[in-house]
Amino acid sequence: MKIIKVDSSNKHVYMNLAQAYEAEFSKIMQKKPDEHGLFPLDTQIEGNVSGYLLYMDGVPAGHTAIANETPANYEVCDFYVVPYFRKNKVGKSFITDVFKSLGGSWEIKQVAGAEHAVKFWRDVLDDYTAGNYVEDSYEDEKWGVVTRQRFVHTIKV
């Protein structure tokens, strides 16, 4: 497993994986592709949002978009692992490595209807924080009703 930050040399890989992510959520988000077969992206890698790519044996296996809201305060905006690689806790290892490398406070949101995502994040955070996270549900201005988890990672590795 190798995690690489997105830059101009690999942004095209991120953009390709982002299309798969958008397609996976298209039914829940009521989004369809444009005349070129492309989905509009909800999250752009620019400004305070950084992207990270996951590679398994040299093959792009996933991506995440992380917003740095304020110093040491992060939000997971997008997170995706290609279905082929969704085994052996690859996704959990990917995101926990990102948590460890950045440290700080974290927020993760799942839109209504994405029960598989809620289950994944609860599993990740139960293990990573030993259950020391807060979960609530609220009306997000952009996403509607979301399930949200928050925690603070106090040790930067």
Side-chain angles (χ1 to χ4, degrees), residues 75-95:
E75 179 181 352
V76 177
C77 300
D78 292 353
F79 183 82
Y80 177 73
V81 174
V82 173
Y84 176 86
F85 295 101
R86 292 180 190 169
K87 55 189 171 196
N88 302 322
K89 305 194 183 294
V90 167
K92 184 184 281 190
S93 295
F94 175 26
I95 196 62

Side-chain angles (χ1 to χ4, degrees), residues 75-126:
E75 179 181 352
V76 177
C77 300
D78 292 353
F79 183 82
Y80 177 73
V81 174
V82 173
Y84 176 86
F85 295 101
R86 292 180 190 169
K87 55 189 171 196
N88 302 322
K89 305 194 183 294
V90 167
K92 184 184 281 190
S93 295
F94 175 26
I95 196 62
T96 57
D97 281 0
V98 173
F99 291 157
K100 288 175 187 174
S101 71
L102 297 174
S105 300
W106 288 86
E107 179 175 88
I108 306 134
K109 300 174 192 170
Q110 302 90 53
V111 295
E115 284 75 24
H116 65 290
V118 173
K119 183 177 185 280
F120 170 79
W121 287 109
R122 285 176 178 160
D123 180 52
V124 166
L125 296 176
D126 277 339

Side-chain angles (χ1 to χ4, degrees), residues 1-153:
M1 181 171 82
K2 185 174 184 180
I3 299 171
I4 299 172
K5 191 168 184 178
V6 173
D7 62 23
S8 60
S9 72
N10 59 18
K11 191 169 183 181
H12 64 285
V13 177
Y14 178 92
M15 297 300 283
N16 290 339
L17 290 173
Q19 285 297 307
Y21 170 81
E22 294 293 348
E24 185 162 314
F25 281 90
S26 65
K27 184 174 182 181
I28 292 170
M29 300 306 296
Q30 295 296 296
K31 288 170 61 172
K32 53 187 173 185
D34 65 16
E35 66 275 8
H36 304 289
L38 298 173
F39 288 93
L41 301 185
D42 290 321
T43 305
Q44 298 293 329
I45 302 301
E46 60 190 16
N48 69 334
V49 180
S50 298
Y52 297 87
L53 293 166
L54 168 66
Y55 285 84
M56 299 296 291
D57 298 321
V59 177
H63 82 279
T64 189
I66 307 293
N68 187 194
E69 301 297 333
T70 60
N73 187 12
Y74 302 96
E75 179 181 352
V76 177
C77 300
D78 292 353
F79 183 82
Y80 177 73
V81 174
V82 173
Y84 176 86
F85 295 101
R86 292 180 190 169
K87 55 189 171 196
N88 302 322
K89 305 194 183 294
V90 167
K92 184 184 281 190
S93 295
F94 175 26
I95 196 62
T96 57
D97 281 0
V98 173
F99 291 157
K100 288 175 187 174
S101 71
L102 297 174
S105 300
W106 288 86
E107 179 175 88
I108 306 134
K109 300 174 192 170
Q110 302 90 53
V111 295
E115 284 75 24
H116 65 290
V118 173
K119 183 177 185 280
F120 170 79
W121 287 109
R122 285 176 178 160
D123 180 52
V124 166
L125 296 176
D126 277 339
D127 283 356
Y128 187 71
T129 70
N132 191 19
Y133 69 95
V134 176
E135 180 175 293
D136 62 6
S137 181
Y138 80 102
E139 181 77 26
D140 184 82
E141 175 179 302
K142 182 176 181 180
W143 305 111
V145 176
V146 298
T147 300
R148 172 179 63 179
Q149 296 88 13
R150 292 176 287 167
F151 73 95
V152 175
H153 176 80

